[in-house]
């Protein structure tokens, strides 16, 4: 049996500045929800935030140019990530931050010479992603990075391969011009969603598409002619989007597995929806000012989460909502922390790491990990696509592998205590690229698990660290 590593729950450091506290009794059966608001920046020039676990990133023009900054909630430390003065639109997942850099190759034409870069928080190294000129709007999930620019593109760090998902085209005929522009992709697991504008000389069609990397199948999930359709967001099996047309008004959710569309709100002033677990958020101008609203899919309850009247561009991760707010004149980043008696702390779990001594020169293909959760959390609820080793290496999710699809292989009881473990495999070479040899090398696993607390279904994080031995020796012949 491999080395047994115990994952310990991590208590977040308390944030000193709490601007206001709202207590909301959502329904008779739902636990009271407390919203604690925190100001993250004071520069008056911060925008476009994103969040993953304890880390918030944004772009900031405090020094004249635009650079990417990061705030760690666990250490309450702000870090400047870029210094070029030309970095925009950050997204974060694990230890990777991706963003645009403008004018690096053609300084005289910065907006038509945008490339995608990534920054590894663990190694503090920046690298350019192979892209064409004019690449924008990056997103990242695990080892996969997507962006637009002449179409939708995917770069996979595990094999250094660029894949074209969708292609723009134009016909500039003087009598009947037509074309198609694909932009603003988002990714979760093997699913990519994006916004598309198809036009002729008379009509314009706005659509949202979904592409499944495991099947190479493209699906149109929404389409409107000559009217408003908002950008999508994706989480697990669900895509959210907004629309305001003569046919449909409000926020909608599309379930990938059933192809069913449900309406969440009927407000005609909604935009920028985001989803995490059972919570959907968006910005809304229904009262003449922009504020953030949230809808809980489990309780069917809508909650206004801000009251400043100047809150836009919200994102959500677990029980934290982050947005930009101009209540003080300039634009700053704020965070709302949601809490209730039904929300757990980070789940404590046990894992078995095999082998407990990892040889970087071994010819083996996989490294195996068994994850055991407390009895109230089922191992089958683990979101395999969310699991990361050291914030960089994703678990194998290839549906062609039996250990991914067959419960007889991925559910077991290795320690014979009556509680099932979830078996995962990681690519040995990918792990070797993020580990250095040593007798005591720290391994950190993060991930999410769906659970039911007796009232509703929700999502919790699990996270922790352990130590293994890493060697680099040639195999004996």
């Amino acid at each position: 049996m491999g080395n047994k590593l115990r994952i310990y729950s991590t208590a977040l450091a308390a944030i000193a500045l709490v601007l206001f506290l709202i207590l909301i009794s959502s329904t008779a059966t739902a636990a009271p929800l407390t919203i604690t608001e925190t100001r993250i920046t004071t520069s008056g020039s911060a925008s476009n935030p994103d969040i993953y676990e304890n880390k918030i990133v944004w772009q900031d023009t405090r020094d004249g140019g635009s650079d990417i900054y990061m705030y760690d909630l666990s250490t309450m430390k702000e870090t400047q990530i870029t210094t070029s003065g030309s970095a925009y639109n950050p997204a974060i997942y694990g230890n990777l931050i991706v963003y645009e850099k403008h004018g690096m190759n053609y300084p005289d034409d910065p907006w038509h010479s945008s490339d995608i870069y990534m920054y590894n928080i663990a190694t503090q190294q920046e690298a350019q992603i192979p892209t064409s000129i004019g690449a924008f709007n990056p997103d990242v999930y695990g080892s996969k990075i997507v962006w637009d620019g002449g179409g939708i593109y995917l770069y996979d760090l595990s094999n250094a391969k660029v894949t074209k998902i969708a292609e723009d085209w134009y016909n500039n005929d003087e009598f009947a011009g037509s074309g198609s522009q694909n932009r603003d992709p988002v990714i979760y697991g093997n699913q990519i969603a994006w916004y598309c504008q198809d036009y002729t000389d008379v009509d314009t069609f706005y659509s949202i598409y979904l592409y499944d990397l495991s099947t190479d199948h493209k699906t149109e999930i929404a389409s409107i002619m000559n009217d408003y359709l908002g950008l999508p967001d994706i989480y697990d099996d669900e895509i959210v989007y907004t629309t305001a047309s003569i046919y449909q008004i409000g926020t909608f959710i599309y379930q990938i597995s059933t192809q069913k569309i449900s309406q969440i709100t009927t407000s005609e002033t909604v935009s920028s929806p985001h989803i995490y677990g059972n919570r959907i958020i968006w910005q809304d101008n229904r009262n003449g000012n922009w504020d953030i609203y949230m809808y809980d899919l489990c309780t069917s309850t809508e909650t206004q989460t801000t009251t400043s009247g100047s809150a836009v561009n919200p994102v959500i991760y677990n029980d934290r909502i982050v947005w930009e707010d101009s209540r003080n004149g300039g634009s700053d980043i704020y965070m709302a922390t949601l809490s209730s008696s039904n929300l757990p702390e980070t789940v404590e779990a046990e894992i078995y790491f095999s082998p407990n001594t990892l040889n970087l020169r071994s010819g083996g293909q996989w490294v195996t990990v068994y994850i055991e959760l407390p009895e109230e959390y089922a191992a089958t609820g683990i979101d395999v696509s969310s699991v990361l080793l050291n914030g960089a290496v994703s678990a194998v999710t290839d549906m062609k592998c039996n250990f991914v699809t067959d419960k007889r292989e991925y559910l077991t009881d290795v320690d014979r205590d009556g509680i099932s473990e979830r078996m995962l495999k990681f690519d040995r070479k990918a792990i070797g690229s993020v580990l250095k040899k040593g007798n005591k090398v720290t391994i950190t696993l993060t991930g999410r698990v769906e659970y039911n607390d007796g009232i509703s279904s929700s999502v919790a994080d699990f996270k922790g660290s352990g130590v293994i031995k890493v060697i680099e020796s040639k195999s004996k012949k």
Side-chain angles (χ1 to χ4, degrees):
M1 185 178 292
N3 185 34
K4 186 175 180 180
L5 309 180
R6 192 169 182 84
I7 298 183
Y8 294 98
S9 61
T10 304
L12 296 178
I15 307 298
L17 180 60
V18 179
L19 298 182
F20 63 76
L21 191 66
I22 305 174
L23 184 63
I24 300 170
S25 297
S26 300
T27 68
T29 59
L33 180 65
T34 301
I35 304 176
T36 306
E37 187 177 288
T38 306
R39 186 175 181 176
I40 301 299
T41 70
T42 58
S43 65
S45 53
S47 60
N48 288 340
D50 196 18
I51 181 172
Y52 184 85
E53 292 185 348
N54 293 330
K55 296 179 176 63
I56 300 172
V57 295
W58 67 92
Q59 70 185 52
D60 204 308
T61 58
R62 65 183 68 175
D63 296 321
S66 179
D67 279 300
I68 308 303
Y69 288 76
M70 178 182 74
Y71 185 84
D72 191 324
L73 294 167
S74 61
T75 63
M76 293 187 289
K77 179 183 178 181
E78 180 184 281
T79 303
Q80 184 173 348
I81 300 300
T82 68
T83 58
S84 66
S86 59
Y88 302 83
N89 293 340
I92 183 172
Y93 190 94
N95 275 327
L96 291 179
I97 305 173
V98 296
Y99 44 91
E100 304 166 12
K101 266 192 174 182
H102 296 184
M104 301 308 293
N105 298 315
Y106 301 92
D108 295 333
D109 193 12
W111 286 99
H112 289 88
S113 60
S114 172
D115 290 294
I116 307 302
Y117 281 72
M118 69 174 181
Y119 179 88
N120 189 305
I121 299 171
T123 63
Q124 300 182 13
Q125 297 295 314
E126 182 186 61
Q128 181 181 346
I129 303 301
T131 64
S132 60
I133 295 176
F136 300 92
N137 301 314
D139 194 24
V140 57
Y141 188 95
S143 64
K144 299 179 179 69
I145 300 170
V146 292
W147 68 89
D148 66 56
I152 304 298
Y153 291 85
L154 164 74
Y155 179 76
D156 195 329
L157 292 168
S158 65
N159 56 24
K161 181 181 178 181
V162 176
T163 302
K164 183 187 294 183
I165 304 299
E167 184 174 13
D168 293 355
W169 62 271
Y170 303 95
N171 178 7
N172 294 319
D173 187 284
E174 61 179 314
F175 298 107
S178 59
S180 178
Q181 182 184 21
N182 301 273
R183 62 186 182 90
D184 291 280
V186 288
I187 182 170
Y188 186 96
N190 286 321
Q191 307 279 3
I192 302 172
W194 72 93
Y195 176 90
C196 181
Q197 178 180 343
D198 295 302
Y199 65 92
T200 67
D201 62 326
V202 177
D203 296 310
T204 300
F205 294 87
Y206 303 96
S207 304
I208 295 174
Y209 286 97
L210 174 69
Y211 187 87
D212 190 325
L213 294 170
S214 63
T215 62
D216 293 329
H217 183 68
K218 176 182 173 182
T219 303
E220 181 186 273
I221 67 171
S223 183
I224 290 179
M225 182 177 72
N226 298 332
D227 227 324
Y228 171 78
L229 181 65
L231 305 180
D233 193 32
I234 184 171
Y235 180 89
D236 197 15
D237 190 43
E238 293 160 325
I239 297 172
V240 293
Y241 61 93
T242 58
T243 182
S245 72
I246 60 174
Y247 305 105
Q248 292 179 323
I249 294 176
T251 305
F252 294 81
I253 184 168
Y254 174 90
Q255 190 171 50
I256 298 171
S257 59
T258 64
Q259 300 183 355
K260 179 182 177 181
I261 297 177
S262 302
Q263 186 167 7
I264 302 302
T265 72
T266 57
S267 173
E268 61 184 79
T269 56
V270 295
S271 59
S272 299
H274 284 268
I275 181 172
Y276 187 96
N278 61 300
R279 291 169 172 152
I280 300 171
I281 62 169
W282 65 90
Q283 66 186 50
D284 200 316
N285 191 34
R286 67 179 68 174
N287 297 318
N289 297 296
W290 288 107
D291 276 302
I292 309 303
Y293 289 76
M294 179 180 73
Y295 185 87
D296 191 310
L297 293 170
C298 294
T299 63
S300 301
T301 302
E302 181 183 287
T303 303
Q304 182 175 343
T305 62
T306 69
T307 57
S308 67
S310 53
V312 295
N313 291 339
V315 290
I316 183 170
Y317 184 90
N318 205 351
D319 59 353
R320 297 187 177 109
I321 301 173
V322 177
W323 70 94
E324 61 180 89
D325 202 307
S326 57
R327 66 182 69 175
N328 298 308
S331 177
D332 278 302
I333 307 302
Y334 287 76
M335 178 182 73
T337 302
L338 314 175
S339 60
S340 77
S341 58
N342 289 331
L343 288 177
E345 297 180 359
T346 303
V347 176
E348 180 180 336
E350 293 182 352
I351 69 170
Y352 300 88
F353 190 88
S354 179
N356 57 8
T357 297
L358 178 63
N359 185 357
L360 298 179
R361 293 194 179 185
S362 170
Q365 185 176 6
W366 310 118
V367 173
T368 304
V369 177
Y370 301 89
I371 303 176
E372 181 179 308
L373 301 172
E375 291 188 38
E376 58 268 32
Y377 300 94
T380 52
I382 292 175
D383 178 3
V384 177
S385 64
S386 74
V387 178
L388 286 178
L389 187 147
N390 280 21
V393 182
S394 299
V396 177
T397 57
D398 189 342
M399 301 299 287
K400 297 177 183 178
C401 299
N402 287 338
F403 60 78
V404 174
T405 59
D406 191 344
K407 283 188 178 181
R408 294 171 297 179
E409 291 198 31
Y410 68 68
L411 281 183
T412 184
D413 185 9
V414 293
D415 59 356
R416 299 182 181 180
D417 63 352
I419 302 175
S420 296
E421 291 87 29
R422 181 59 157 95
M423 184 271 285
L424 302 176
K425 290 185 182 289
F426 295 82
D427 183 86
R428 182 182 291 263
K429 290 183 179 179
I431 290 180
S433 67
V434 299
L435 298 181
K436 296 181 180 180
K437 63 180 181 178
N439 291 327
K440 295 182 178 181
V441 177
T442 299
I443 300 291
T444 298
L445 284 181
T446 59
R448 293 187 293 270
V449 57
E450 296 182 2
Y451 70 97
N452 191 297
D453 60 8
I455 296 178
S456 63
S457 298
S458 192
V459 178
D461 290 336
F462 62 85
K463 179 182 180 181
S465 299
V467 175
I468 66 170
K469 184 177 182 179
V470 180
I471 62 175
E472 192 171 2
S473 62
K474 294 181 179 180
S475 302
K476 296 182 180 179
K477 296 182 179 181

